[in-house]
Amino acid sequence: MTVAPITVTSLETYRNESPYPFCPGCGHGFILDHLNRALVKLQLDPRRVVIVSDIGCVGLSDQYFVTNAFHGLHGRSTVYATGIKLARPDLKVIVLMGDGGTGIGGTHLINAARRNVGITVLVFNNLNFGMTGGQHSATTPTGAITATTRAGNLERPLDICATVAANGASFVCRGTSFDKDLPDRIAEAIQNEGFSLLDIWELCTAYYVPNNQFSRKALMNTLDQLQFPTGVLQRRETPEYAAAYRQAYAEVLGKPTLSPQPIEPRLKSALDRRFNLVVAGSAGGRVRSAVRLAGLAGILSGLRAAQRDDYPITVKSGHSVSELVLDPDEILYTGVSRPDALLILSQDGYQKVARYLPLMTRDDRLFVLPPLAGVETRAQVMVIDPAHAPIRVAKTNTALVLLAVVLKQLALLPSQALEEAARLGRAQYVDENLKAIAAGFALADR
Amino acid sequence: MREYTDGSTAIVRGSLAAGCTFFAGYPITPASPILMMMMRELPKVGGVAMQAEDEIAAISMCIGATMAGARAMTATSGPGISLYSENIGLAVMGEVPLVVVDVQRLGPATGGATSVGQGDVQFIRWGTAGGYPVIVLAPSSIAECYTLTMKAFDLAERFRCPVFLLTDKELNMTMNTVDVDEYHDLIVRERKTGGSDNGRETGVFTPYHYDPPDGVPPMAHYGGDVVLRFTGSTHDERAFITKHPPTVEALNRHLAAKIEEHLDEIEEVTADLEPGARTLLISYGVTARAMRGAVREARSGARKVSALTIHSLWPVPEMAIRAALDGIEQVVVAELNLGQYRREIERIAHGCQVVGINRVDGELISPAQFLEAIR
């Protein structure tokens, strides 16, 4: 996306003709005038500037400029700006938000600073909610009287600058709407490549001023009392996020994206009906990957396969159960009401599938390790002891050894199908898996 | 040729085929595989994928990126949709093309994170303040996950609105076998931009100007050759805030009309109707798969039955449902909730007995449950 350079002769203002709607004495108009001066100084193409306004009185502000504008939801202006910047890193994105938006959208501010995404945030900090009736905000000084702190504010005001500075913002400045140098500060912030924030203190003449006999002088005193420093508080050279993202991923640009991994059914299975095979083991026991190979083997043999896994959210502990359906027809229902064959590899697995045991019939098959040899069931039980395998296999691959035994015993698939499936897998596991399969087949023949 | 895959993968592939260039999400089971794949795949096409600080940020970034010219998607599950809610309203009001995938899990709150459910059906429909129509598509197979993702992008661009792809844990995370030729590509229409002289003279775009009968305003994006305004407040066609009653009314009616007057472009069902059948089975999503299995079994036993799989859940495809009701005495609506979509069918199927098959135990409805219900 490229844009022809605009042939703007020097712009004298970025304001349109509409007068501001703010109360007499409100700081918002002063700050917007400072912003306008900064834009005039920078002479940016209005089509390359996006003003993202938050909610509250400040949310009206975008309507008085000739630049692009985005007026979204309360507190989220920083993240809309992030989305715009990520999609179009060449744009200058300026967020106008109040102390209310700072409070409700605090996490977005911290994260934008932490990422150092190249947006400029101007906080119109008038110490209360001016639009909704003068309620206290996250920056209301302790002891202040507001519509919701009749006995004086009990909360400590948020130090916005310290918060974003501590979290990586590359330009941080605190000032007031009365500052003569504010246009220069705003211009510097806009020109800065990384995340910039200006915390601009001002007067809300509708609520905060009358409620607290507040004034310009009192505002300065409050800053002193809180020991909130003013001026440029941080300048940091760190990579801007949108640019860093493109740099970090430059080497994958143009690489082929995810595409189907077709499997050609080149073998034949004699299975003429749906078969449910359930494998129950422990997390970390490679149950899922072993069963996945069995599914692939089924597809290689002309069947269809479906695999549903169940494991606790703590991935590396507890049970790991995989339910495999093999069917010559399309598998429409992936649930298993009763397994035709059940392989239990561990106590964790046993507990999870014990409910199946009473349902199993004399035609069904149960495969267990020696410790579970005595389990009660009507199914035909085969006890497998992996220690008797003639080939030594890493313990982590026991699931595949036993699954090979089961598949060989059940004779559902041609025996080379499982080996072929193993060869389709990731190169680093092929040899190890083939060895496990060989061990299982040998064990089945004993 | 066949493929062994899952719905998450098909959705990611569908989004890439549809020209998606931006994704933002937040990790949540069972939608996380989409996030992880998008993080890996999008940079390859020059797109951007972000893991946001929360779901509110995720959808906000998508909306911002879309207005800067991107084609965006996000994916989450029920708890994430809760956090999307306010921004869904912004996408409706600001007329933002956006694809939202809801991979449903079981129950309210944290619920059953790794269990299947279909409990977001009404929530998705009424998920934001103000009550405006949304488009919701529900695939019932892995191949449909691919195709309907593309359709979701197409409808989002066509109508300038959020379009939901409603899936579930089972469809997204259970591996299944797909015939490769089941994947159908769709043409995703380009975003309608500009308008013949919109902004050409003044350099300022009129972002919410639309002409009947189409009713959808053409779009511009930030950084283009016109100045663009965007707002979530009640606005005039230039995106300036207004309380002027005729303007306000026209806007609010327009947001509904642009979708409701074009139902024929949205409705999608699979009707498998059998002459002489007295029972009509209706389902959607993963549950419709078991329904198809039951139909196969019933007919092999010479029992007559009709079935309707609904792919466009919202707006309700009333024309297709009415057509399927011809000669039917009993309607069975099967879903993994306590009967949310049955309400819609009851409203339409006058004179029929409407019953539900419902499960909320984290297990799927089985073909056997359907067979028991057939008259």
Side-chain angles (χ1 to χ4, degrees):
Chain A
M1 283 177 281
T2 52
V3 181
I6 194 168
T7 47
V8 175
T9 46
S10 164
L11 266 172
E12 284 167 26
T13 182
Y14 285 73
R15 287 268 290 108
N16 57 25
E17 291 93 34
S18 306
Y20 296 134
F22 307 117
C23 305
C26 167
H28 286 11
F30 298 121
I31 301 172
L32 292 177
D33 282 343
H34 291 319
L35 170 63
N36 184 40
R37 287 182 198 109
L39 291 170
V40 169
K41 180 180 176 186
L42 296 173
Q43 284 297 306
L44 298 169
D45 180 343
R47 299 173 306 181
R48 313 300 280 265
V49 177
V50 188
I51 291 182
V52 182
S53 64
D54 209 88
I55 292 292
C57 296
V58 70
L60 302 167
S61 303
D62 64 89
Q63 302 185 105
Y64 304 93
F65 286 82
V66 299
T67 64
N68 293 300
F70 186 110
H71 176 58
L73 302 179
H74 190 35
R76 317 303 165 200
S77 43
T78 320
V79 254
Y80 303 125
T82 299
I84 294 166
K85 186 72 181 178
L86 288 172
R88 284 296 298 266
D90 57 316
L91 303 181
K92 291 292 186 189
V93 188
I94 304 165
V95 171
L96 310 182
M97 75 192 320
D99 40 307
T102 301
I104 192 173
T107 185
H108 308 313
L109 266 186
I110 292 168
N111 283 287
R114 195 173 60 75
R115 293 184 185 111
N116 197 32
V117 60
I119 61 175
T120 300
V121 179
L122 307 189
V123 179
F124 290 54
N125 189 355
N126 64 8
L127 313 178
N128 73 168
F129 285 79
M131 186 176 259
T132 49
Q135 300 87 348
H136 72 293
S137 77
T139 65
T140 303
T142 311
I145 305 295
T146 71
T148 45
T149 54
R150 290 294 176 199
N153 185 24
L154 302 176
E155 302 173 18
R156 188 191 148 77
L158 177 73
D159 185 339
I160 303 169
C161 291
T163 304
V164 295
N167 286 289
S170 67
F171 179 87
V172 182
C173 176
R174 183 182 283 116
T176 75
S177 62
F178 308 106
D179 295 353
K180 292 282 177 284
D181 65 349
L182 205 57
D184 290 339
R185 298 297 186 215
I186 295 173
E188 184 182 354
I190 294 171
Q191 276 187 305
N192 175 42
E193 293 293 319
F195 178 85
S196 305
L197 181 137
L198 290 98
D199 175 17
I200 307 165
W201 285 47
E202 49 153 334
L203 300 180
C204 175
T205 50
Y207 296 106
Y208 199 83
V209 165
N211 282 338
N212 295 281
Q213 288 83 49
F214 208 57
S215 62
R216 177 178 179 172
K217 187 156 181 267
L219 185 149
M220 298 300 178
N221 288 341
T222 306
L223 281 166
D224 282 344
Q225 281 158 16
L226 286 166
Q227 296 181 327
F228 280 8
T230 55
V232 177
L233 306 176
Q234 182 154 289
R235 281 191 185 91
R236 235 162 104 150
E237 292 285 321
T238 42
E240 191 279 322
Y241 189 88
Y245 183 93
R246 279 159 175 84
Q247 201 180 353
Y249 289 104
E251 61 182 42
V252 301
L253 187 64
K255 291 254 163 77
T257 54
L258 199 62
S259 61
Q261 307 291 309
I263 305 159
E264 197 189 336
R266 43 184 181 265
L267 302 166
K268 220 166 161 47
S269 159
L271 189 69
D272 60 357
R273 63 173 183 94
R274 180 188 175 110
F275 193 93
N276 298 328
L277 169 64
V278 175
V279 180
S282 293
R286 294 207 204 161
V287 172
R288 293 160 69 193
S289 51
V291 173
R292 191 185 158 96
L293 289 186
L296 274 173
I299 298 171
L300 283 165
S301 310
L303 300 172
R304 287 160 181 275
Q307 178 179 342
R308 177 156 63 156
D309 301 316
D310 181 54
Y311 45 90
I313 44 168
T314 50
V315 179
K316 290 282 181 194
S317 75
H319 70 276
S320 175
V321 174
S322 287
E323 299 180 338
L324 177 70
V325 180
L326 293 171
D327 196 323
D329 291 323
E330 186 182 6
I331 300 165
L332 294 169
Y333 173 62
T334 43
V336 168
S337 45
R338 177 179 61 82
D340 297 286
L342 174 59
L343 166 61
I344 304 176
L345 299 165
S346 71
Q347 193 62 35
D348 290 326
Y350 168 73
Q351 277 166 4
K352 202 69 195 171
V353 297
R355 67 196 158 101
Y356 285 137
L357 292 172
L359 305 172
M360 292 177 77
T361 69
R362 282 162 49 188
D363 295 330
D364 300 327
R365 305 285 301 269
L366 176 67
F367 300 88
V368 291
L369 300 183
L372 283 168
V375 69
E376 263 188 52
T377 177
R378 273 174 297 175
Q380 304 166 51
V381 182
M382 179 179 175
V383 180
I384 315 169
D385 189 348
H388 291 157
I391 307 168
R392 285 189 65 86
V393 175
K395 212 177 163 203
T396 49
N397 231 7
T398 307
L400 185 55
V401 174
L402 298 183
L403 190 58
V405 175
V406 169
L407 289 174
K408 182 99 180 188
Q409 282 286 319
L410 295 171
L412 298 172
L413 309 171
S415 53
Q416 70 265 42
L418 195 59
E419 294 157 352
E420 294 259 327
R423 288 192 193 96
L424 291 177
R426 270 198 249 166
Q428 76 229 58
Y429 297 120
V430 172
D431 288 343
E432 192 189 334
N433 285 345
L434 285 172
K435 205 168 132 191
I437 292 164
F441 286 173
L443 194 56
D445 289 338
R446 280 168 67 97
Chain B
M1 295 292 254
R2 287 175 177 168
E3 194 190 12
Y4 198 26
T5 188
D6 58 31
S8 306
T9 308
I11 289 166
V12 170
R13 284 189 40 232
S15 73
L16 293 168
C20 178
T21 56
F22 191 90
F23 180 93
Y26 182 82
I28 183 169
T29 304
S32 299
I34 298 176
L35 165 68
M36 291 187 280
M37 279 186 268
M38 292 305 276
M39 297 291 284
R40 190 186 66 205
E41 298 299 318
L42 266 186
K44 297 179 187 171
V45 297
V48 174
M50 280 295 285
Q51 178 173 314
E53 57 268 31
D54 57 27
E55 282 91 347
I56 296 174
I59 186 169
S60 297
M61 287 179 193
C62 287
I63 291 172
T66 301
M67 296 316 295
R71 197 170 265 189
M73 178 170 89
T74 182
T76 187
S77 190
I81 297 288
S82 306
L83 293 180
Y84 284 3
S85 172
E86 193 183 8
N87 269 300
I88 290 166
L90 181 68
V92 169
M93 181 58 113
E95 305 195 51
V96 183
L98 176 65
V99 174
V100 180
V101 184
D102 177 6
V103 189
Q104 294 169 101
R105 56 195 230 184
L106 183 69
T110 308
T114 58
S115 299
V116 67
Q118 292 181 308
D120 296 350
V121 174
Q122 292 285 354
F123 176 42
I124 282 276
R125 168 61 186 89
W126 303 105
T128 194
Y132 287 86
V134 294
I135 298 174
V136 180
L137 305 177
S140 63
S141 71
I142 290 170
E144 285 167 12
C145 282
Y146 177 81
T147 307
L148 290 185
T149 298
M150 293 191 79
K151 181 167 175 160
F153 274 96
D154 179 59
L155 294 177
E157 296 293 350
R158 166 70 183 90
F159 294 107
R160 271 193 78 169
C161 65
V163 176
F164 294 87
L165 190 78
L166 191 64
T167 68
D168 58 75
K169 181 260 172 185
E170 188 72 19
L171 208 47
N172 273 55
M173 295 188 73
T174 294
M175 303 279 292
N176 209 329
T177 311
V178 187
D179 275 325
V180 174
D181 55 17
E182 280 179 62
Y183 294 115
H184 296 300
D185 280 291
L186 299 177
I187 292 170
V188 177
R189 281 166 281 196
E190 287 302 315
R191 184 166 299 171
K192 204 163 92 182
T193 52
S196 56
D197 53 359
N198 193 341
R200 188 69 55 86
E201 261 177 44
T202 56
V204 179
F205 190 71
T206 309
Y208 296 111
H209 175 79
Y210 54 89
D211 293 313
D214 181 68
V216 181
M219 275 186 84
H221 60 260
Y222 300 132
D225 52 10
V226 286
V227 166
L228 170 67
R229 292 184 45 75
F230 170 93
T231 182
S233 294
T234 303
H235 52 266
D236 62 17
E237 64 175 19
R238 297 176 308 138
F240 284 89
I241 297 172
T242 182
K243 285 186 77 176
H244 179 241
T247 308
V248 171
E249 183 178 19
L251 166 64
N252 285 321
R253 288 190 183 279
H254 150 74
L255 294 175
K258 70 171 179 178
I259 293 172
E260 286 171 349
E261 288 173 8
H262 299 274
L263 295 182
D264 54 320
E265 293 183 51
I266 302 166
E267 277 205 6
E268 188 172 329
V269 302
T270 301
D272 180 3
L273 308 180
E274 187 173 29
R278 289 191 297 168
T279 297
L280 172 67
L281 308 177
I282 296 181
S283 195
Y284 53 88
V286 70
T287 309
R289 298 180 62 74
M291 177 176 78
R292 281 176 55 207
V295 168
R296 200 157 70 181
E297 214 170 313
R299 289 180 186 162
S300 73
R303 293 170 72 188
K304 287 183 194 268
V305 66
S306 287
L308 187 70
T309 302
I310 298 182
H311 301 298
S312 59
L313 285 172
W314 303 104
V316 176
E318 297 197 16
M319 288 178 284
I321 293 169
R322 284 211 175 82
L325 286 169
D326 191 35
I328 294 297
E329 291 169 13
Q330 183 207 27
V331 182
V332 179
V333 185
E335 48 193 335
L336 297 172
N337 58 51
L338 296 176
Q340 293 185 19
Y341 208 71
R342 191 170 76 225
R343 296 163 62 95
E344 305 303 319
I345 305 300
E346 280 167 349
R347 180 164 76 67
I348 298 164
H350 299 294
C352 297
Q353 187 195 9
V354 181
V355 297
I357 303 176
N358 305 94
R359 266 189 109 141
V360 287
D361 62 350
E363 298 290 334
L364 296 168
I365 292 171
S366 68
Q369 287 182 272
F370 280 97
L371 287 169
E372 283 164 23
I374 298 172
R375 253 191 213 166

